[in-house]
Every structure is written in C-alpha cells, then in structure tokens.
Amino acid sequence: MGIVGVGSVLLGWSYSGRDKITLGRKQIDMVHYQFGLGYSGSIVVHFGSTALCILAVECNAREMALWAFITVVWGCIPQALICIQIAMNLKKREELALALWEQDGNLKKETYSVIRKMVGHLKDPDVYYNKEYRESPGERIIRLK
C-alpha cells in the first residue's frame, strides 16, 4: 500500500506541474514530446491497477493483489522519470522547449506564427537567461529570406 501512495504522490507531482511554462512551452507538452503516447497509457494503467490493488487487498485475494502491486510499481517508473528528468531538471525542460519550437517551425507555412508566438514570450523572465531562445526568432527570420 506504501508503493500505491508513493506512485500517487509522483503522479500528483507531475500532474500539478503540467501547466508550468518554460520558454513558452507547457510542461505537459514536453512530457508528451519526450514520452509520447506511453505517458497517457501509463496514467490509465496506474489508476486502474491502484484501484485493483486496493480492492484485492480488501478482498484478501493475495495473488491478484501481488499482480496489481507489480503493475503499480511498474507504473511508478515513468512517473519517477518525469519528475527527475523534466519536473526537477530546468536544463532538460529548456532543451525540450527549444526542440518543440524547432519542431513547430519546421513547416514553412507555420514559421510566421511560430516566430510571433516566440516573440510574445520574450518578456518572460526565464527567457532572459536563455541565449538560444532569444536568438531563435531572428535566426528563423534570416532562414526565410
């Protein structure tokens, strides 16, 4: 039951930071970029196996409780990776944000809207310290010519 609690804390921590913005990009976008659709699947499996584990313990079904426990432990791994690699790692969040901006700007017809969005975030305090982000809109304009 302790692992169920730890997994839920990790899930809550990563979920609470989903709207946290780094270089104009939300943390949840970075998580989906880094982990793909596996993240959404791990959330569904985590909730289902947590409920199953609690139910199995209450019904005294030891084999089923063990299987659900193993599934919950396995579900804690992506949550721990998200907390360590993204939520607590500013440098990695900045790298992922720049990669997302680069991905958005790869389409020629979307370049102007990406530049406009990036310039809109230049007033954010975290952008002052990131040279790559500050120079990126200018580099995109130069590439258009």
Side-chain angles (χ1 to χ4, degrees):
M1 291 310 294
I3 289 295
V4 170
V6 169
S8 298
V9 167
L10 292 173
L11 179 66
W13 190 5
S14 61
Y15 186 76
S16 68
R18 73 188 184 286
D19 291 330
K20 185 177 186 179
I21 294 181
T22 304
L23 300 180
R25 300 308 292 244
K26 289 184 179 180
Q27 184 170 307
I28 192 68
D29 296 335
M30 295 177 214
V31 169
H32 286 297
Y33 179 76
Q34 180 77 22
F35 294 99
L37 295 175
Y39 172 71
S40 300
S42 73
I43 297 292
V44 171
V45 169
H46 179 79
F47 282 133
S49 59
T50 300
L52 186 63
C53 185
I54 293 170
L55 181 67
V57 167
E58 289 297 318
C59 294
N60 208 14
R62 294 176 194 255
E63 295 83 13
M64 188 171 78
L66 180 63
W67 178 252
F69 171 75
I70 291 169
T71 308
V72 170
V73 170
W74 185 257
C76 288
I77 294 170
Q79 298 307 320
L81 288 174
I82 289 167
C83 290
I84 293 168
Q85 292 180 353
I86 297 175
M88 297 188 304
N89 190 344
L90 176 63
K91 185 169 178 68
K92 182 69 173 178
R93 281 196 316 268
E94 288 177 346
E95 289 174 8
L96 289 171
L98 291 170
L100 283 167
W101 283 117
E102 188 65 34
Q103 180 184 24
D104 289 351
N106 283 341
L107 300 172
K108 194 76 165 174
K109 63 182 180 178
E110 298 292 323
T111 304
Y112 290 116
S113 65
V114 170
I115 292 170
R116 193 174 317 117
K117 289 176 187 174
M118 288 184 82
V119 169
H121 291 287
L122 286 174
K123 66 184 182 313
D124 296 343
D126 61 336
V127 173
Y128 297 146
Y129 302 107
N130 193 296
K131 183 179 178 183
E132 290 178 64
Y133 184 88
R134 289 191 319 255
E135 293 176 351
S136 184
E139 290 172 358
R140 290 173 194 273
I141 292 171
I142 290 170
R143 278 190 260 163
L144 287 173
K145 293 185 177 191

